[in-house]
Amino acid sequence: REDLYGRSNDMGFSGALSFLRRKYTRDLTGVDVAVTGIPFDSATSNRPGARFGPRGIRAASTEVASLDGFPFNFNPFDHLSVVDYGDVDYTPGKPEDGLSEIEKHAGIILAAGKTLISVGGDHFVTLPLLRAHHKHHGKMALVHFDAHTDTYPNDHEIDHGCMFYHAPKEGLIDPAHSIQIGIRTEYKKDSHEFQVIDAAEANDLPAKEIIKSIQSRVGDMPVYLTFDIDCLDPAYAPGTGTPVVGGMSTDKVLKILRGVKDLNIIGFDLVEVAPPYDHADVTSLAGASIVLEYLYILGHQKQG
């Protein structure tokens, strides 16, 4: 691609596999949004494979690259210049190196005044991403979709279950303005300050009620949105490292995301897609579609 705006009409089953067919470049001149991949799964506690998430999401994104998304019915690329910035490069086998490189990589994009969307990798990548965003936006609210709270105390290991134990301690996020949706693994309600709408409750509540809870909790703070694909039930997202039954549907989470389109969302990541366990690219397609939903939010906001 040469133009940062508009669409190409390549056939979905052919052509280069940049995210949503966007220009593949590290030149941020004139760019609104940079999409980057984080092929890191060294913090995985169960099934590895999330390092292939960026590749799988890029490939699946060609399926949704050429049509206006429902129900928005506008082309976000008429309003946003979006590029595929490529992947974070780090030394495999040195997870500490990976974390510093993720933060550095994100910092370059944010320092240029661009919005960053990160895809792929296990959920621990959110911690260095939050550190990078905090340097530019200060303390943030967190909206967190997941099957797990990821608040488990762990001061010694790189593990994808402890990011939101560390982030409040480091002053990166304000748990009193943060909310977790879709939780369905054991946690102690008095162990952290996050509001939790667990999966059983979220599945029973109308999407509008969940949206109201998010809006009320966050207020007018800058928001970082992190989406672990295992928030979805394994029927909708089998390709992940720690699938948990009883989750949410893609329909429900898309409705919720559309409903928070006016929040001040300053960063977004989609994690834990593990294509080796996927079936018919179902999980990768869900991931690509959720990221596209965020682009529609940004397009909506830019239109005013």
Side-chain angles (χ1 to χ4, degrees):
R1 294 186 58 84
E2 295 300 327
D3 196 346
L4 295 178
Y5 291 90
R7 280 197 182 107
S8 59
N9 292 314
D10 295 325
M11 295 178 291
F13 51 85
S14 68
L17 297 180
S18 63
F19 184 74
L20 293 173
R21 306 288 198 192
R22 307 320 300 161
K23 185 176 182 179
Y24 194 87
T25 181
R26 293 210 167 174
D27 181 359
L28 293 171
T29 305
V31 170
D32 295 315
V33 182
V35 181
T36 197
I38 308 182
F40 177 97
D41 62 6
S42 297
T44 302
S45 59
N46 190 21
R47 305 189 302 192
R51 67 182 61 187
F52 299 107
R55 181 185 296 173
I57 292 169
R58 282 188 176 98
S61 76
T62 63
E63 180 70 20
V64 293
S66 61
L67 298 174
D68 291 348
F70 176 86
F72 298 97
N73 297 320
F74 70 87
N75 180 1
F77 307 117
D78 286 342
H79 310 282
L80 296 171
S81 57
V82 181
V83 298
D84 188 327
Y85 194 77
D87 289 350
V88 175
D89 188 28
Y90 67 96
T91 304
K94 292 184 177 180
E96 294 85 358
D97 174 66
L99 300 182
S100 62
E101 288 301 319
I102 292 166
E103 184 175 351
K104 177 182 176 182
H105 181 92
I108 292 170
I109 296 169
L110 296 170
K114 313 307 177 183
T115 298
L116 172 60
I117 297 175
S118 305
V119 296
D122 66 48
H123 210 162
F124 198 78
V125 305
T126 300
L127 185 57
L129 290 171
L130 285 172
R131 290 168 177 162
H133 280 79
H134 180 263
K135 291 177 182 177
H136 295 274
H137 297 284
K139 186 176 286 189
M140 301 160 285
L142 183 76
V143 176
H144 173 204
F145 291 81
D146 206 323
H148 315 82
T149 64
D150 294 336
T151 57
Y152 313 113
N154 190 336
D155 289 314
H156 307 293
E157 298 176 5
I158 294 175
D159 182 275
H160 65 165
C162 65
M163 304 79 62
F164 308 124
Y165 163 74
H166 290 289
K169 290 180 67 175
E170 294 182 21
L172 307 178
I173 59 175
D174 184 351
H177 287 276
S178 299
I179 186 167
Q180 300 179 317
I181 302 130
I183 307 302
R184 55 191 185 279
T185 49
E186 183 180 3
Y187 73 97
K188 295 180 180 179
K189 293 186 177 181
D190 59 353
S191 65
H192 59 76
E193 296 180 60
F194 297 98
Q195 181 180 347
V196 174
I197 300 176
D198 64 39
E201 184 180 6
N203 284 331
D204 288 342
L205 283 173
K208 290 181 179 180
E209 293 301 315
I210 299 172
I211 292 163
K212 288 179 182 178
S213 293
I214 294 172
Q215 292 169 331
S216 175
R217 184 70 171 181
V218 167
D220 58 1
M221 286 193 71
V223 180
Y224 189 93
L225 200 158
T226 181
F227 198 106
D228 187 324
I229 205 69
D230 71 24
C231 176
L232 298 176
D233 189 88
Y236 303 93
T240 190
T242 50
V244 184
V245 301
M248 299 175 69
S249 70
T250 47
D251 173 68
K252 191 69 162 284
V253 300
L254 291 174
K255 287 175 179 173
I256 295 168
L257 290 173
R258 290 166 195 152
V260 298
K261 62 184 182 297
D262 293 317
L263 292 181
N264 181 24
I265 305 174
I266 49 80
F268 178 90
D269 67 54
L270 187 289
V271 296
E272 295 286 355
V273 172
Y277 314 105
D278 209 1
H279 300 238
D281 300 328
V282 170
T283 312
S284 293
L285 180 58
S289 299
I290 289 166
V291 176
L292 179 58
E293 205 75 17
Y294 178 52
L295 284 171
Y296 274 104
I297 290 172
L298 294 178
H300 159 81
Q301 292 179 347
K302 192 169 183 182
Q303 290 181 81

